[in-house]
């Protein structure tokens, strides 16, 4: 309920009093919420999203696991938006576990997931989003209308969620 108030009522009131730009900036800056592995998997399971791990584990500190501990809620809901909008199977192969690249918008910091390359989801990304310049490592990239980045790393899609993509 609190989230609904923040996302709907506060901007509505702000529009009425002419403060929308400031409120939207504050809302976007304060909307980041970290989730536990259990919270994220419950949402993924309900949406029909699967996940797998080469180590059959979910320990954030083991590189062969697939963990969602400390994942951003916008990342979780972004994956759910991709699944719903595309109608495709989505299998997450990488989350917040150690072993990925570093940086502010990293797996470890909850902004990224890796998903399996399936024809359906790959076609959806390529046909729906805008092709942008290749990443420094040569990975081809697409940018969604919401600003999220989908990089094709060959054997998986590396996705950076800055927001939930219209969730």
């Amino acid at each position: 309920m609190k989230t609904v108030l923040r996302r709907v009522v506060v901007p509505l009131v702000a529009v009425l009093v002419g403060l929308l730009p400031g409120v939207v900036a504050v809302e976007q800056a304060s909307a980041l919420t970290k989730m536990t592995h259990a919270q994220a998997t419950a949402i993924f399971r309900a949406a029909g999203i699967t996940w797998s791990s080469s180590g059959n584990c979910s320990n954030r500190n083991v590189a062969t696991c697939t963990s969602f501990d400390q994942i951003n809620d916008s990342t979780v809901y972004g994956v759910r938006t991709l699944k719903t909008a595309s109608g495709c199977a989505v299998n997450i192969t990488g989350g917040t576990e150690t072993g990925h690249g570093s940086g502010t918008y990293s797996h470890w910091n909850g902004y990224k997931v890796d998903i399996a390359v399936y024809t359906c989801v790959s076609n959806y990304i390529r046909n729906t989003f805008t092709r942008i310049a290749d990443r420094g490592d040569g990975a081809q990239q697409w940018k969604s209308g919401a600003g999220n980045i989908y990089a094709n790393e060959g054997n998986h899609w590396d996705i950076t969620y800055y927001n939930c993509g219209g969730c």
Side-chain angles (χ1 to χ4, degrees):
M1 184 63 176
K2 189 175 186 179
T3 301
V4 172
L5 287 174
R6 260 197 344 233
R7 291 187 177 167
V8 177
V9 177
V10 171
L12 182 60
V13 171
V15 167
L16 295 174
V17 296
L19 300 174
L20 184 60
V23 170
V24 170
V26 169
E27 172 60 25
Q28 289 173 344
S30 65
L32 188 65
T33 301
K34 299 292 186 176
M35 290 186 160
T36 65
H37 184 81
Q39 290 170 321
T41 58
I43 292 166
F44 292 147
R45 189 174 293 112
I49 296 165
T50 60
W51 58 95
S52 55
S53 134
S54 59
N56 294 316
C57 51
S58 62
N59 185 326
R60 178 170 161 82
N61 296 303
V62 177
T64 56
C65 295
T66 297
S67 176
F68 303 121
D69 278 331
Q70 296 300 303
I71 194 167
N72 298 335
D73 62 344
S74 55
T75 302
V76 171
Y77 294 124
V79 176
R80 186 179 71 180
T81 298
L82 174 65
K83 164 81 169 133
T84 302
S86 69
C88 300
V90 173
N91 181 59
I92 302 170
T93 60
T96 60
E97 66 280 350
T98 191
H100 299 279
S102 61
T104 300
Y105 299 104
S106 64
H107 283 270
W108 184 261
N109 288 337
Y111 289 90
K112 288 187 168 206
V113 292
D114 293 337
I115 66 168
V117 173
Y118 295 137
T119 301
C120 181
V121 77
S122 294
N123 286 343
Y124 177 81
I125 291 166
R126 290 183 179 116
N127 295 327
T128 306
F129 303 142
T130 303
R131 179 77 160 84
I132 60 174
D134 290 355
R135 210 167 56 186
D137 62 0
Q140 294 180 337
Q141 297 186 110
W142 283 259
K143 187 175 186 177
S144 74
N148 299 316
I149 306 293
Y150 296 74
N152 186 341
E153 294 189 354
N155 63 349
H156 67 271
W157 286 95
D158 177 77
I159 308 170
T160 307
Y161 286 103
Y162 300 105
N163 59 68
C164 64
C167 57

